[in-house]
Each structure stands twice: as C-alpha cells, then as structure tokens.
Amino acid sequence: MKSSKITVCVKELTVRIGRDRSFHVTTTIIFCLSMAFVAIGLGMYIHDHIKRVIISDEFYSTQLSPLLALAPTSAFSNSSLAASSPIPFERAIGRAGPDTSWHSMSDEELAWRASMVPRILEYPYNRTPKVAFMFLSRGRLPLAPLWERFFKGHQNLYSIYLHMSVDLSNDEMPETSVFYRRRIPSKPAQWGRASMMDAERRLLANALLDFSNERFVLLSETCIPLFNFTMVYSYLINSNQSFLGSFDDPRPMGRGRYNKRMWPTVLLSEWRKGSQWFEVHRRVAVDIVSDVTYYPVFRDHCKPPCYMDEHYLPTLVTKVCPGANSNRSITWVDWSRGGSHPTTFTRTDMSQVFLERIRHGFNCTYNGIVTSICFLFTRKFHPNTLQPLLKIAPPLLGFVP
C-alpha cells in the first residue's frame, strides 16, 4: 500500500516537472554551480599539492646553496686531493678558495657551520693534513717576502687566512703571492677589547671550514718563522698536544683581573693567563668556536684592565680540555724590558747569533721528551728588519731556493 502511494507521488512529480520549464532552468543552474564548485575545489587541491612540491625543492636548494657557495674553485687545482675522491667533503662543506669574499655569513652562522664535527672519524677520501696559518694583522704584511720563501714548494700542506683590521680591499697582493686573496671577511679588532678575541675566533671558524686543516697557528704581521716549513710542519702535525700558554698568575696582572661577576660560571681558582699567540689541534679549535657558555661571561665582565685575549682561551682550554694542552706557546717574545707590550726588534738587532739563541736557547718537553726546540716563531719584528732577515734567514733556516 505504501509502495503504491510512493509510486503515485513520483509519477505526479515527474509530470509537474515536465510541465514546469522554470524548474528545468533552476535545476540546470544548480547543477552548473555545483560542478563549478567541484572544479574550483579540485583546482585548489592540485595547486596546493604542486606548491608544496615546489616549496620543498626551493627549501632544499636554499639549504644547500650556502654549502655549494663555499665549494672551492681553484683551491685544489694544485693539490693531490683533487683526484683522491670524486666528491671530497671540501666540495660540500670546505673553504671557498682564493677569493676576498668567500662567503657572506654572519659570525653566528660561520661559528655554527665551523662547529660541525663528523661522527665518522675515518675520512672517505685520501686526506693530507694541513697546517692553517692564520695572520691577525692590522694592515699590510711588511714581512711577507720572508714568508713567501718559507711557504715555497709546500703548496699542498698549508692554508693561509688573513684577517685585517684595516680595509685594504683595493690594495691586493700580487697574484704570484701566497697571500693573494687570502683575506677573510674581517672587522676592526681593537687591542684589549672583545673585538680582538672575535677576530681570532673568526679566523679559526674560517679555517675549520676546510676539513683538511688539522693544526691552527695564530700569527701577527710582526712574526717570523724560526725554522723551515718542513721542520715546522712535522713538529705540529706529530704533536700530541696543542700549544697554548696557560698558567695561574697570583699577581694583580693575573688573578687581580678576575671579576667576581664571572662566578659561578668561572671560578677564581679556574682563572688563567697566557699568551695571545697560540697553536691548537682541530679538536681544540672546534671547542673554541663552539663555546657559548664562557665566551659571553668574558665578553661582559673582562674589560680593560682585564684583557680578554690574555685570559679567555687559557681559562677555556684549562676548563674544557686541559689534557690536550701543553700549557706553553711556540711563539717567543721578549718581555724583559717591561711595559704593556713586548720588545720590538729592529734591523740593528738582527744577527745569526740572535736567531740561534731563540732557536735552541731553551728547554721544554715535546711529546714527553725534553728538547731544545721550544719555539717555532718569534715576534715583534719591525718592517726595517726585512732586508737583514732575507740575508740571514734563508741559509740559516734552509729555505727552498
């Protein structure tokens, strides 16, 4: 009975729809609108899906581009490393080669990248360890010709990084020089201020981007080598420890510079002093550039007459990796005349006897063995010492002709 009533209703509705043309128009409009909404919805879904794919690709490219920008161009043109691996790590995360503007990274991003450490210790390519020579200079390098003789013939065993407090971008070294385009992005560094320590960390961070660099030595424009390259390279690469002066000085110029506001991060008993001029192993260099605990404390509370470059690294290394340090510097300076700065040597001081006294006039320990070779470099040498040094040093040190 119910089914027959439904059948009658459907027939009547069908007849009415057939007679009512306006109903046809209405339903047609509703159908078209429905299809339009379905098409729009489908289009939005497809568009969103494609956009996600594109954004994903762009994100990948954005993340990868800074590393690709650091890839070397001619940095390995004269190196045996170029043929050692199809894609050596340096091409992905290494330094950027001989250019005045290797990168545009901020100090924060630079330190972040430099602090990355491979968890697999064995390198997947034939790696020749290099020594990174980091020059912290106010301006030009007046003793560069002597260093040119020092580096000659050893292109695959060293890297050079130059930080200049004075902008000399329009005064580049000759293309034949080992210092050509070795300048890193630099900022003014003021003696006794945190900016000096910033410059040292900046040098270390740039040098750490090259995974081939194993040892890192800080030098100034007034430094000279005391031995030939082969001797210096062997001494550093084969050392079991870093060379950074660190000692507890009870005098006013030592413990007297400690600021109680550093407590409890840095205790007075942990306060150390040492030479600004250091040499460190790669592991220690990573600890230095990745430090975010002690550096802010020193930056905020170690200000003249507290000199950050004399206390920060000695204290830091003693706290975080004391067993890795020999607690001595390999750069000799003369403090015998007193004052806030060491003696500056001039041309009248230059003689073979003078250099020999520094080369073999001391005793120290190297890898547990007593030796008379304690210093590999020395400072401060006036620019007018260049000509006498070019006559004395090459035959004395055995430079490659």
Side-chain angles (χ1 to χ4, degrees):
M1 187 72 179
K2 291 183 179 180
S3 59
S4 61
K5 288 183 178 181
I6 294 173
T7 303
V8 172
C9 289
V10 169
K11 288 182 179 181
E12 290 181 356
L13 181 62
T14 303
V15 173
R16 290 182 181 181
I17 291 174
R19 294 176 180 177
D20 192 350
R21 294 183 179 179
S22 62
F23 184 82
H24 279 286
V25 175
T26 302
T27 54
T28 301
I29 294 174
I30 293 174
F31 176 77
C32 292
L33 289 174
S34 300
M35 293 301 295
F37 282 123
V38 171
I40 293 173
L42 182 62
M44 291 178 66
Y45 171 80
I46 296 174
H47 176 268
D48 183 65
H49 181 72
I50 295 175
K51 184 178 180 181
R52 289 182 181 180
V53 174
I54 294 174
I55 290 176
S56 176
D57 291 341
E58 289 179 350
F59 176 79
Y60 175 79
S61 300
T62 302
Q63 296 299 308
L64 185 61
S65 60
L67 298 180
L68 296 179
L70 294 173
T73 52
S74 60
F76 293 90
S77 58
N78 297 321
S79 173
S80 61
L81 293 177
S84 63
S85 173
I87 307 178
F89 275 0
E90 285 86 344
R91 291 192 64 84
I93 195 169
R95 63 183 173 84
D99 198 300
T100 53
S101 56
W102 294 353
H103 57 76
S104 58
M105 291 185 286
S106 64
D107 285 350
E108 292 75 16
E109 183 181 358
L110 176 63
W112 177 76
R113 291 189 183 279
S115 65
M116 294 180 179
V117 178
R119 299 187 66 178
I120 299 178
L121 300 181
E122 186 175 347
Y123 289 85
Y125 59 93
N126 295 327
R127 173 180 178 268
T128 300
K130 296 189 294 185
V131 176
F133 291 83
M134 308 178 300
F135 288 84
L136 180 59
S137 174
R138 287 172 292 183
R140 298 178 179 84
L141 299 177
L143 303 176
L146 181 65
W147 284 102
E148 299 276 2
R149 299 290 299 273
F150 172 79
F151 288 115
K152 186 177 180 180
H154 305 282
Q155 289 82 358
N156 300 334
L157 301 177
Y158 69 85
S159 302
I160 295 176
Y161 302 86
L162 176 59
H163 186 289
M164 283 188 176
S165 296
V166 179
D167 184 10
L168 297 175
S169 55
N170 295 325
D171 188 18
E172 183 58 78
M173 299 289 284
E175 291 188 22
T176 55
S177 172
V178 295
F179 295 100
Y180 178 65
R181 292 187 176 177
R182 293 290 89 201
R183 188 159 53 241
I184 68 170
S186 308
K187 296 180 181 179
Q190 187 177 2
W191 177 76
R193 302 288 180 176
S195 59
M196 182 67 74
M197 199 64 246
D198 290 337
E200 295 181 22
R201 282 160 54 101
R202 195 174 297 124
L203 277 165
L204 273 176
N206 276 276
L208 280 169
L209 294 180
D210 185 347
F211 276 16
S212 294
N213 288 330
E214 187 70 15
R215 310 290 302 208
F216 304 77
V217 56
L218 181 69
L219 302 162
S220 77
E221 74 272 22
T222 68
C223 287
I224 66 167
L226 289 169
F227 296 90
N228 60 36
F229 183 90
T230 302
M231 172 63 187
V232 171
Y233 179 85
S234 177
Y235 195 99
L236 297 180
I237 291 296
N238 295 313
S239 174
N240 297 330
Q241 294 180 310
S242 297
F243 300 97
L244 192 151
S246 178
F247 61 97
D248 183 5
D249 187 352
R251 299 175 299 172
M253 63 185 64
R255 287 200 173 198
R257 294 175 177 174
Y258 175 77
N259 189 331
K260 294 181 180 180
R261 294 181 179 178
M262 294 182 173
W263 184 91
T265 306
V266 178
L267 307 179
L268 177 60
S269 59
E270 301 170 330
W271 184 252
R272 295 293 184 271
K273 182 181 179 180
S275 172
Q276 173 185 4
W277 311 102
F278 63 82
E279 190 282 335
V280 294
H281 186 274
R282 186 176 185 90
R283 293 188 301 271
V284 179
V286 171
D287 286 337
I288 293 173
V289 301
S290 60
D291 171 40
V292 295
T293 301
Y294 305 103
Y295 188 76
V297 175
F298 275 83
R299 181 193 58 210
D300 296 339
H301 302 300
C302 181
K303 300 178 181 179
C306 176
Y307 303 107
M308 192 170 174
D309 55 89
E310 294 183 9
H311 296 281
Y312 168 65
L313 289 183
T315 303
L316 174 68
V317 172
T318 300
K319 284 181 67 67
V320 301
C321 50
N325 189 28
S326 64
N327 294 329
R328 67 180 178 90
S329 174
I330 53 172
T331 299
W332 183 81
V333 292
D334 181 10
W335 290 97
S336 62
R337 301 180 188 180
S340 302
H341 300 278
T343 302
T344 297
F345 301 107
T346 63
R347 62 182 303 124
T348 58
D349 298 308
M350 297 303 99
S351 68
Q352 183 171 333
V353 174
F354 168 71
L355 294 179
E356 278 289 7
R357 187 169 66 249
I358 306 173
R359 280 159 49 94
H360 298 287
F362 306 88
N363 289 321
C364 60
T365 301
Y366 174 81
N367 287 350
I369 301 174
V370 177
T371 177
S372 63
I373 302 177
C374 303
F375 300 102
L376 304 182
F377 313 97
T378 181
R379 64 186 300 267
K380 301 172 58 175
F381 286 74
H382 192 275
N384 64 20
T385 63
L386 176 61
Q387 293 308 316
L389 285 172
L390 287 176
K391 294 179 181 179
I392 300 171
L396 176 65
L397 309 184
F399 286 174
V400 176

